[in-house]
Amino acid sequence: MRRSDSEAIEEALEDAPLEALAMVRELLSADDADADVWGYLADCQTELGDRQAALSAWAHYLTLDPHWPEAYTARAEIFADSGDLRAARAELGLATELAADDPRVLRTEALLSELTGDLNGADVLYAKGEEADPLWPAPIRYRRNKALRFLQRELEHPNVQTEEMPTSAEPGGFLRRAEFSATGALILYLRNLERDLDGDSQLEDLHDAALEALDTLQAN
């Protein structure tokens, strides 16, 4: 796979996942034996919310390259998002057998800890991941009261609330970053917002992540 193709797909994935998917399918039509292309197919399907298609693409990837831990951690996250923690742990176990100290494996283990309510244990694992590779920094943890007041002030919504993590996979999965309550309140899940923000992030970065989550919620 050419570097220019991968760069184009990664750029499109952020804002135009359907365009990225079209690029990937064109590459597959020319060569369906390239594991990297199947990985990008899985990324596209994940971004588009098609969990089953993403799992299938990762499964095919593993027939071509069964030794890449991130394929297993990606499948674990998809299972975790849908609420199937048993399947998520099984995939994580396979990743751990390959590379127990890989930061991606540690971060997936941290995610499963968050989903089972062990927030302190999760933060220990995120820190271990950062120690293993600084390119995978632990998420920032904003002061909760300060973050809530800031978001209530900055977001154009009359009732903003924050929680740590969803307590149910429905609607939208455990990794959803926001949802509207039955009374119309905007609930923001701080840990799902913080996961892609590192220690240098400011409250403005949290606002940007929350605004993106709100835009996605309203678009659906």
Side-chain angles (χ1 to χ4, degrees), residues 1-159:
M1 183 177 186
R2 296 179 304 179
R3 183 173 180 177
S4 59
D5 289 329
S6 62
E7 290 175 346
I9 292 168
E10 288 171 8
E11 183 177 352
L13 262 172
E14 293 188 13
D15 300 313
L18 284 173
E19 291 183 17
L21 180 61
M23 295 180 201
V24 170
R25 284 177 169 162
E26 184 175 351
L27 290 171
L28 282 174
S29 67
D31 179 9
D32 65 357
D34 188 329
D36 289 340
V37 183
W38 284 95
Y40 279 122
L41 177 61
D43 289 339
C44 291
Q45 301 290 14
T46 300
E47 189 66 25
L48 291 166
D50 192 340
R51 295 187 188 118
Q52 195 55 53
L55 288 170
S56 296
W58 279 124
H60 190 83
Y61 177 101
L62 288 166
T63 67
L64 301 170
D65 180 5
H67 302 296
W68 194 41
E70 189 168 343
Y72 296 102
T73 60
R75 283 174 57 85
E77 289 184 11
I78 295 169
F79 280 124
D81 184 33
S82 67
D84 191 345
L85 298 187
R86 176 179 293 182
R89 290 191 184 97
E91 296 290 337
L92 178 60
L94 294 171
T96 302
E97 290 178 8
L98 292 172
D101 295 326
D102 186 292
R104 292 162 295 192
V105 175
L106 292 166
R107 285 177 67 90
T108 303
E109 188 177 352
L111 171 62
L112 295 186
S113 294
E114 287 177 323
L115 294 179
T116 55
D118 185 5
L119 304 185
N120 291 333
D123 287 341
V124 170
L125 289 163
Y126 282 124
K128 286 180 66 176
E130 182 173 12
E131 291 173 6
D133 187 343
L135 292 177
W136 294 87
I140 189 172
R141 294 290 175 238
Y142 296 98
R143 290 174 56 188
R144 275 16 193 175
N145 289 340
K146 184 176 181 179
L148 175 59
R149 290 195 299 270
F150 177 81
L151 292 169
Q152 287 174 331
R153 183 175 69 249
E154 296 297 325
L155 291 174
E156 295 182 0
H157 192 277
N159 187 359

Side-chain angles (χ1 to χ4, degrees), residues 155-208:
L155 291 174
E156 295 182 0
H157 192 277
N159 187 359
V160 176
Q161 302 174 17
T162 57
E163 296 182 12
E164 292 297 317
M165 292 283 292
T167 57
S168 168
E170 298 301 332
F174 273 120
L175 299 185
R176 66 188 183 277
R177 297 177 297 167
E179 70 175 314
F180 292 119
S181 73
T183 60
L186 172 62
I187 301 174
L188 297 168
Y189 295 106
L190 289 177
R191 285 189 166 248
N192 285 341
L193 291 170
E194 292 170 336
R195 197 168 293 113
D196 294 326
L197 303 176
D198 61 29
D200 294 327
S201 299
Q202 305 297 318
L203 277 171
E204 288 74 14
D205 298 299
L206 178 64
H207 171 260
D208 290 344

